[in-house]
Amino acid sequence: MDKSCEVTALGELNVDIILNDIDGFPEMGKEKFAGKMTVALGSSTAIFAANVACLGARTAFAGMVGRDSFGSLVSESLRAKGVDTRFLIESPDYATGATLVMSYDEDRANLTYQGAMDHMGFDDLNPDIFRESRHIHISSVFMQSALKRDFSRIFEAAESGGVTLSMDTQWDPKEEWDFDCAAILPHVDVFMPNETELKAITRTDDLSGAISRIRPYLRQVAVIKCGSRGSILVKKDGEVSEMPSFLNSHVVDSIGAGDSFNAGFIYGYVKGMSLTECQRLGNLTGAVNTTAAGGTGAFTSREAVIRTAREVFGADCPL
Ligand SMILES: Nc1ncnc2c1ncn2[C@@H]1O[C@H](COP(=O)(O)OP(=O)(O)OP(=O)(O)O)[C@@H](O)[C@H]1O
Ligand SMILES: [Mg+2]
């Protein structure tokens, strides 16, 4: 069947309100100034969607925002990045989620109002996404309780629509790590946590022990992100391949490196590359991410990504 979307990003959407150069840390009963404010599209899933679209995949977003100005900012920003917004839902009941990011010295404190994204469940989704998508990517599972509650219905719809699935857990802000590997992983074609998240969900401190706990449940492959050390590919049949990163010795910041890795890997996946080629492209787009500020700064165009790969990392980028 001809699918109009190669990749549909499903889930969390919010705006980031980033306050920089603040006078001092906020204190109850007092008021302080911030020297600079940026309001921008936030969320791991949105960074993924923007970057996989930039690489050249036909990408749509299925998520929920409020009927408010932050909701308009989210949909306009996605469209400006070339992401199809026909599956976005405007909730009359909930406001668009927002994260207040306070940067103080070298560190940041984040405060998130989940808003609409926490309420989107299976019944809110347009069923066309399962007919029109070749692949669906889900991220930040612990930020979206309604979506997580409905995973089994999503898996069933994806399977009957012939849709492949990828999932990045991301961090659990409550640090409860309630993730049933035996129930979830057999339905996820590409599982993409980072190493800390994998250890937390398997409740083990040892990486190889954590890998052996998920391996029996894998549908096809897991790829584990290990920061500047690169990534580890774990195939269902048991083959484990570590691949070093394209090391960047002049990192601007690594915000969104994991989402950019996911974008490169899933681009390769939907274009039919081998899993090893997908891993290499993920490592490369993760590294490209670290050459500019924020999660999308280095992804201004496909040509820019190819140029950065060549000039900074001496690498051929197979886009
Ligand atoms: N300093 C670096 N130099 C080169 N590549 C890097 C660097 N940091 C990260 N990467 C690449 O990006 C990939 C993803 O980064 P990381 O492991 O930090 O993901 P993450 O923890 O999921 O990040 P995020 O905070 O975005 O969720 C790594 O597997 C690696 O290939
Ligand atoms: Mg991550």
Side-chain angles (χ1 to χ4, degrees):
M1 189 209 280
D2 190 27
K3 305 255 193 183
S4 60
C5 313
E6 288 174 296
V7 179
T8 296
L10 171 61
E12 42 140 20
L13 277 173
N14 70 312
V15 293
D16 282 342
I17 303 162
I18 305 162
L19 300 177
N20 283 313
D21 306 336
I22 58 178
D23 278 352
F25 213 70
E27 287 175 72
M28 294 307 288
K30 296 193 177 174
E31 182 150 355
K32 300 207 159 129
F33 284 125
K36 194 175 167 212
M37 178 176 84
T38 313
V39 182
L41 176 66
S43 92
S44 156
T45 318
I47 294 172
F48 164 83
N51 292 352
V52 79
C54 169
L55 299 180
R58 288 192 314 277
T59 305
F61 207 111
M64 191 187 267
V65 292
R67 273 188 198 155
D68 46 34
S69 50
F70 281 166
S72 312
L73 185 144
V74 163
S75 44
E76 280 159 28
S77 307
L78 284 172
R79 277 195 291 277
K81 295 283 185 183
V83 177
D84 182 340
T85 55
R86 79 184 120 139
F87 299 130
L88 276 199
I89 306 155
E90 269 191 13
S91 165
D93 302 317
Y94 304 104
T96 305
T99 296
L100 188 59
V101 183
M102 288 163 282
S103 299
Y104 184 59
D105 285 341
E106 296 288 284
D107 224 338
R108 297 182 300 159
N110 291 2
L111 195 59
T112 292
Y113 167 67
Q114 288 164 275
M117 69 173 139
D118 195 35
H119 296 277
M120 186 182 74
F122 182 81
D123 289 327
D124 296 304
L125 298 174
N126 180 338
D128 285 350
I129 69 168
F130 300 101
R131 282 189 284 273
E132 307 254 337
S133 311
R134 147 90 174 78
H135 181 90
I136 290 178
H137 178 76
I138 300 174
S139 186
S140 302
V141 299
F142 303 108
M143 305 273 280
Q144 312 181 79
S145 51
L147 201 69
K148 187 162 175 280
R149 180 200 64 210
D150 291 347
F151 270 174
S152 57
R153 297 173 71 196
I154 292 169
F155 297 156
E156 207 183 305
E159 274 151 41
S160 55
V163 185
T164 51
L165 273 182
S166 50
M167 184 180 285
D168 182 342
T169 58
Q170 292 286 36
W171 188 252
D172 178 4
K174 291 188 179 157
E175 297 190 44
E176 290 168 353
W177 303 101
D178 173 20
F179 188 89
D180 184 348
C181 290
I184 297 172
L185 296 185
H187 303 281
V188 174
D189 299 273
V190 185
F191 183 50
M192 350 185 59
N194 73 18
E195 58 182 327
T196 316
E197 293 150 3
L198 179 68
K199 288 179 195 167
I201 59 166
T202 55
R203 305 194 191 276
T204 166
D205 286 337
D206 159 52
L207 185 57
S208 58
I211 290 173
S212 34
R213 286 194 190 185
I214 58 164
R215 199 152 50 189
Y217 306 118
L218 294 182
R219 185 179 173 93
Q220 184 183 10
V221 71
V223 60
I224 299 143
K225 292 164 279 182
C226 308
S228 59
R229 297 200 331 280
S231 58
I232 304 173
L233 191 79
V234 183
K235 289 190 192 157
K236 181 186 166 61
D237 64 14
E239 196 187 314
V240 177
S241 330
E242 291 183 32
M243 193 182 281
S245 70
F246 292 88
L247 194 60
N248 183 3
S249 39
H250 303 285
V251 171
V252 174
D253 69 51
S254 60
I255 297 168
D259 306 311
S260 298
F261 175 99
N262 296 347
F265 193 102
I266 295 302
Y267 175 88
Y269 191 75
V270 299
K271 297 292 182 185
M273 292 182 195
S274 72
L275 293 173
T276 303
E277 288 167 328
C278 294
Q279 183 183 15
R280 178 184 176 277
L281 186 53
N283 275 357
L284 189 52
T285 51
V288 165
N289 180 105
T290 66
T291 64
T296 59
F299 293 78
T300 49
S301 68
R302 186 184 168 119
E303 294 66 37
V305 174
I306 294 171
R307 193 170 50 244
T308 306
R310 191 177 55 238
E311 290 175 3
V312 181
F313 301 105
D316 170 46
C317 192
L319 295 178

